[in-house]
Amino acid sequence: MDTTQPATPLLDALRAAVGAANVITAADDMAPALRDWRGFYHGSALALVRPGSTAEVAAVVAACAREGVAVVPQGGNTGMCGGATPPAAGRSIVLSLARMNRVLDVDTVNDTITVQAGCVLAVIQQQAAQVDRLFPLSLGAEGSCQIGGNLATNAGGINVLRYGNTRDLALGLEVVLPDGRVLGGLRALRKDNTGYDLKQLFIGAEGTLGVITGAVLKLFPRPRVSVTAFAAVADPRQALALLGRLRERAGSRVSAFELISRYCLELVLAHIPGSRDPLGAASPWYVLTNLDDTDAQSGLRESVEQALADAVEAGIVTDAVIAETEAQSQALWRIRESIPEASKHEGLTYRHDISLPAADLPGFIDEGAKVLAAAWPGVRIVCFGHLGDGNLHYNCFVPGRERDDPAAIAATDVNEAVYALVHKRRGSVSAEHGIGQAKVSELPHYKSEVEMDLMRAIKRALDPRGVMNPGKVLAQD
Ligand code: FAD
Ligand code: ZN
């Protein structure tokens, strides 16, 4: 053994489990794993451990449980809420799934793919395409996020409207429990009513109940034709009316339906080189939509053209463009996907990821603009997102609050104002990004006492010693 490496009973046990090369303790080598990608959260760890198999994960977790050391699972480290960043104080290891990146099986009769948890999402999409299938989960971080992280956060993305969240795409899960036992559930069944559906507990649990090591996922027929349209509408009510029209004509072929405010487009035009306004005249709101079909001869494009023409006739849409080429489609999607990046250039944002029943969104947007402007004159709202799912990213710039001001960063007043409007409408304060460490203290304000009791009871039952990702989702006892 390398005698320059620190030696403790735990580190020795970890090295015995995964090999010395996969127990990283040098500060420089651990650094990227100890902060989140935005640089908001910073932590410390005894080691970054990189197991290569489920048995190795089990041995690592068992060793940590014995020593009372916390285990923080980490996938691609693209999460939005600091869930994969260890605490600054206390004894933890970061458990990286990066080496567990194998596709184990592809079944084109059952239409399933079985993968290890460290598979990068884009790789799963490519593997599905190679056998003429679609794995529909798609999000901006797909080149680096891992399926284990997607499952642990129940990630959403742009195709939820048609295919559901990550939860809806999972048939079976393999999980290492906080005591080191393995819950072997890599079953490829579409029907299985044999009591509690245990895998659901781990999906969206953000690594607080166990380490996901493998999954069986659903595949779908690969679309042969795809139509992207960008439409100007007067307000979010008209956007919802357009969604209704498109669904009447195209049914479930509407796969994505995103709302974009004029201010979002202006941010992109100002900060993202090469971007341009797709339409001639400015409009207060826009919709970006995608439709696809497995039948190239189904006349999808004509249906979309007709639906848009009818919508213009009915005064729902004021102007629209349909992408003629794949490159044009990508340019339209780049506008949508560049909004977070463009807002980063603008300054400190108070970020919100809210959901409501779709019909309540226009009222929320109207009231939010009034309430926030009254409390913080000059506030600018970056409002965009998955309108078809009732999910908005609703981020606010407040005049005078800058990124280098710790008091401004720590302030929760804007969040409280936004969440009060959401709560009043029985919405969610985290539609797709999770709780992580960012919203732990907020959660009890927006969940009932009964919900919080049940969540704590589940945590205690599965992880009585608080080994798994302590302080995330639920406050530490
Ligand atoms: P990490 O960030 O590494 O971890 C996230 C959480 O999951 C942590 O709590 C971690 O402990 C836990 N975890 C990770 N792996 C495991 C495992 N194997 N077992 C148990 N727990 C585990 N999210 C959306 O929902 N929709 C979007 O549209 C979206 N767009 C994004 C766009 C960009 C540009 C970026 C940077 C992020 C975006 N995200 C989005 C957020 C993020 O990509 C997702 O939350 C993603 O699912 C996280 O995956 P990850 O592998 O990076 O997980
Ligand atoms: Zn999103």
Side-chain angles (χ1 to χ4, degrees), residues 37 72-80 82-85 97 117-118 138-141 144-158 202 205-208 210-213 336-337 340 386 393 432-433 436 468-469 472:
W37 66 276
V72 181
Q74 191 171 91
N77 202 12
T78 69
M80 296 285 193
T85 309
L97 279 295
S138 175
L139 45 107
S144 49
C145 64
Q146 299 174 4
I147 193 65
N150 302 144
L151 286 157
T153 58
N154 185 27
I158 55 170
F202 303 93
E206 301 181 54
T208 60
V211 184
I212 299 168
T213 48
R336 162 64 183 83
E337 278 157 11
H386 320 290
H393 299 310
E432 60 174 7
H433 294 157
M468 288 305 313
N469 216 0
K472 314 293 168 54

Side-chain angles (χ1 to χ4, degrees), residues 207-375:
T208 60
L209 300 177
V211 184
I212 299 168
T213 48
V216 184
L217 306 164
K218 292 181 194 169
L219 297 178
F220 294 82
R222 194 164 66 81
R224 305 285 162 190
V225 55
S226 179
V227 179
T228 304
F230 188 86
V233 291
D235 58 42
R237 280 178 193 82
Q238 302 296 356
L240 285 172
L242 174 61
L243 176 59
R245 292 274 175 141
L246 285 171
R247 276 178 158 162
E248 271 166 30
R249 275 203 178 259
S252 64
R253 294 180 295 175
V254 186
S255 56
F257 194 86
E258 301 283 312
L259 182 71
I260 299 172
S261 72
R262 175 71 198 176
Y263 181 53
C264 293
L265 178 59
E266 280 169 3
L267 282 178
V268 172
L269 295 175
H271 295 294
I272 305 295
S275 56
R276 60 173 203 89
D277 190 338
L279 298 173
S283 162
W285 294 92
Y286 302 94
V287 158
L288 176 62
T289 182
N290 217 77
L291 299 92
D292 42 47
D293 199 315
T294 51
D295 180 358
Q297 311 304 323
S298 66
L300 179 64
R301 191 185 165 97
E302 292 70 24
S303 296
V304 177
E305 282 169 357
Q306 194 56 57
L308 286 174
D310 291 349
V312 170
E313 180 96 346
I316 295 169
V317 164
T318 51
D319 195 5
V321 60
I322 297 180
E324 296 290 338
T325 61
E326 178 60 25
Q328 283 179 11
S329 164
Q330 281 173 11
L332 292 173
W333 275 103
R334 218 168 16 252
I335 293 173
R336 162 64 183 83
E337 278 157 11
S338 304
I339 298 170
E341 174 67 28
S343 8
K344 250 190 351 204
H345 291 278
E346 197 71 13
L348 175 71
T349 44
Y350 295 94
R351 300 160 64 97
H352 313 97
D353 162 39
I354 65 107
S355 67
L356 289 169
D360 290 332
L361 285 172
F364 165 83
I365 291 171
D366 289 347
E367 196 183 347
K370 282 191 202 117
V371 167
L372 296 182

